Amino acid sequence: MDDHGTGQCPFALDPAGTDIHAEADELRRRGPATRVELPGGVVVWSVNHYSGAKQILKDPLVTKSARDHWAAFIDNQIPPDWELISWITMENMATATGRNQVRLRRLVSKAFSPKRIQALQPRIEELVDELVDSLGAVAPGEVVDLRERFCYPLPARLMADMLGMTEQSRAKTAQVMDMMVNTTVSPEQAQALLVGWQSAITDLIELKQRDPGEDITSDLILARDDENSKLTQEELLGTLFAILGAGTSTTVDFLGKFLVELLTHRDQLDRVLAGEVSWDEAIEEGLRIEGPVAHLPLRYAVEDIDIDGVTIPRGDAILVNYAGVGRDPEVHGDTAGEFDVDRADKTHLAFGVGPHFCLGWAIAREEVKIGLGKLFARFPDLELAVDRTELQATPTFIMNGYRSVPVRLAATRSGADRTAAA
């Protein structure tokens, strides 16, 4: 079946996310909005240009409630074991609309106030120092996976602190989180995942009910028990999982992707380390070209919506192609696919825009700035241990990350020679 009379069949997204940027280029060529096929044969719209994506993210006629506005879901055309079912059935501020979304966001937002973020800085520095010190014990010349040893534990441990999780609780939810973003799972795994994340977060809630503390989980439990907040148990479960996922997976993947950009553009990294270019400017360019989210399921058209001449019908589902909009040539010209910290316009939508703008954006920036600043201060000759083309993507079209980031902490002779030659 062609794409609503355009002569194009829906584009099947690669579940393994092997090359999301090549896919984004193809989707952009197909137009400002085009239909794509997700696992299970579910067809939705992909919005691929910056202008259209910004329109979708801000439009009040686009919601995130499948129960209210996705015709296929309402008509029971989406099976309960659909591979992405957890993304649309979870009840939290990411899937809520209108007053419900405002209510839930208000309950959570105080945890991300400027004062609370400033108070987190010493803990971020402490965690980074611990991780960098542990890397200092690595034998000279040994290859180490920075994703495993640095990019993952930094945000994972920080979010665990913010949520009041024990190490056992963090480990259990981490397994579920890794599966959550994996878009190669089977229907059976998807159903088990739905049960798994609910079980993991239920255990956390029960733990904090017995032993409350100064953490987000304890605060939200109090809100649930306050009849004025109207926070349900299902919303509590979904909100905690959303905070954990948004605060962990995205930062893990961005740290890895940004590191690789810096290590493969050594001249630009040297200027950052010399203070000629700020970390803030470098991070902005990293977010533009390698934002951590590739596609985020799902949004729904409340009414027919026109995207630069393409009509998305009422009741249809929509993916925003974040991987494509940061590299849109209409915004960034012919060099849109190149990493350039001197780029004057670093416009991106990596944190979203509108009512669902990322609450934790400032924390993520601090983790990256403090983390990489201290990492390179300790290991200024850090280099990739393999060619960039050998790095493998994480098996997902939702996130944008690497399975591993193998490095040597001190430059090899050949590496030092290459740097000198550059």
Side-chain angles (χ1 to χ4, degrees):
M1 184 173 70
D2 73 22
D3 192 353
H4 278 212
T6 65
Q8 294 179 327
C9 291
F11 182 93
L13 290 183
D14 175 10
T18 306
D19 193 342
I20 61 167
H21 293 307
E23 281 195 337
D25 290 342
E26 172 58 26
L27 291 171
R28 203 184 302 109
R29 283 192 290 269
R30 287 176 167 238
T34 188
R35 296 206 303 161
V36 296
E37 182 180 326
L38 304 183
V42 174
V43 175
V44 305
W45 290 88
S46 175
V47 176
N48 311 303
H49 293 189
Y50 176 84
S51 60
K54 190 172 183 180
Q55 174 187 336
I56 288 294
L57 295 176
K58 297 180 72 174
D59 195 333
L61 294 179
V62 177
T63 81
K64 298 193 74 177
S65 174
R67 291 181 175 86
D68 295 329
H69 298 114
W70 188 12
F73 185 79
I74 295 168
D75 295 341
N76 295 316
Q77 297 175 21
I78 306 301
D81 62 350
W82 184 45
E83 288 87 333
L84 302 182
I85 195 68
S86 290
W87 288 91
I88 65 172
T89 56
M90 195 181 299
E91 295 187 36
N92 56 40
M93 61 185 177
T95 57
T97 296
R99 292 180 180 178
N100 276 338
Q101 192 266 345
V102 172
R103 172 177 58 86
L104 292 171
R105 190 177 176 93
R106 186 178 293 128
L107 288 172
V108 175
S109 61
K110 64 180 181 180
F112 298 91
S113 67
K115 183 178 180 180
R116 292 286 287 269
I117 292 169
Q118 184 177 12
L120 282 173
Q121 287 192 353
R123 180 54 177 158
I124 295 173
E125 294 190 9
E126 181 183 18
L127 287 171
V128 172
D129 287 340
E130 288 180 15
L131 294 171
V132 170
D133 286 346
S134 71
L135 289 171
V138 173
E142 180 181 338
V143 175
V144 59
D145 178 7
L146 274 190
R147 186 185 194 279
E148 178 185 358
R149 297 286 297 272
F150 186 82
C151 301
Y152 187 91
L154 174 55
R157 291 175 62 185
L158 183 66
M159 288 309 303
D161 286 352
M162 293 180 68
L163 290 169
M165 302 171 76
T166 64
E167 180 57 30
Q168 182 180 9
S169 178
R170 185 181 74 81
K172 182 176 181 180
T173 53
Q175 293 176 337
V176 179
M177 192 65 61
D178 289 343
M179 288 294 292
M180 183 78 173
V181 298
N182 186 332
T183 47
T184 66
V185 297
S186 66
E188 292 77 17
Q189 289 173 315
Q191 193 60 30
L193 176 62
L194 184 62
V195 174
W197 75 257
Q198 292 172 336
S199 172
I201 299 302
T202 298
D203 289 350
L204 171 62
I205 292 170
E206 291 175 353
L207 170 68
K208 300 313 295 182
Q209 285 177 157
R210 295 192 302 268
D211 185 22
E214 297 292 325
D215 54 69
I216 295 174
T217 305
S218 298
D219 289 346
L220 289 177
I221 289 172
L222 288 174
R224 180 202 60 186
D225 296 340
D226 180 354
E227 62 181 18
N228 293 321
S229 76
K230 300 180 182 178
L231 182 68
T232 68
Q233 176 71 3
E234 290 73 20
E235 289 171 338
L236 174 59
L237 282 165
T239 296
L240 288 171
F241 195 77
I243 294 170
L244 181 62
T248 304
S249 299
T250 52
T251 309
V252 171
D253 285 335
F254 179 66
L255 274 168
K257 282 281 185 167
F258 186 41
L259 261 170
V260 171
E261 288 297 332
L262 292 171
L263 293 175
T264 53
H265 295 86
R266 189 74 210 196
D267 56 333
Q268 297 187 53
L269 171 59
D270 288 343
R271 294 180 57 222
V272 173
L273 298 182
E276 298 171 13
V277 177
S278 71
W279 273 111
D280 287 330
E281 285 294 308
I283 290 169
E284 281 297 293
E285 177 65 354
L287 288 166
R288 182 196 70 80
I289 197 169
E290 291 287 9
V293 176
H295 303 88
L296 190 61
L298 278 167
R299 286 173 163 81
Y300 316 98
V302 178
E303 300 289 347
D304 289 359
I305 296 175
D306 179 85
I307 304 294
D308 294 331
V310 178
T311 299
I312 297 178
R314 173 184 178 180
D316 278 11
I318 306 167
L319 275 177
V320 173
N321 182 3
Y322 290 95
V325 299
R327 298 181 176 216
D328 188 348
E330 292 179 5
V331 179
H332 298 292
D334 294 338
T335 63
E338 299 175 14
F339 180 75
D340 180 5
V341 295
D342 293 318
R343 187 183 303 276
D345 182 1
K346 300 180 176 70
T347 298
H348 63 79
L349 294 174
F351 293 121
V353 69
H356 291 279
F357 183 79
C358 177
L359 277 174
W361 67 273
I363 295 176
R365 286 181 185 278
E366 289 301 305
E367 290 178 273
V368 174
K369 189 189 306 185
I370 294 172
L372 295 190
K374 286 179 174 285
L375 180 69
F376 281 111
R378 181 72 171 268
F379 306 107
D381 295 323
L382 176 71
E383 66 174 15
L384 277 177
V386 299
D387 189 86
R388 178 175 183 165
T389 59
E390 296 178 42
L391 298 173
Q392 295 184 344
T394 49
T396 175
F397 59 71
I398 295 175
M399 304 303 295
N400 173 29
Y402 291 121
R403 291 176 187 249
S404 64
V405 182
V407 303
R408 291 186 178 87
L409 299 174
T412 60
R413 181 178 298 276
S414 59
D417 292 342
R418 286 196 301 272
T419 300

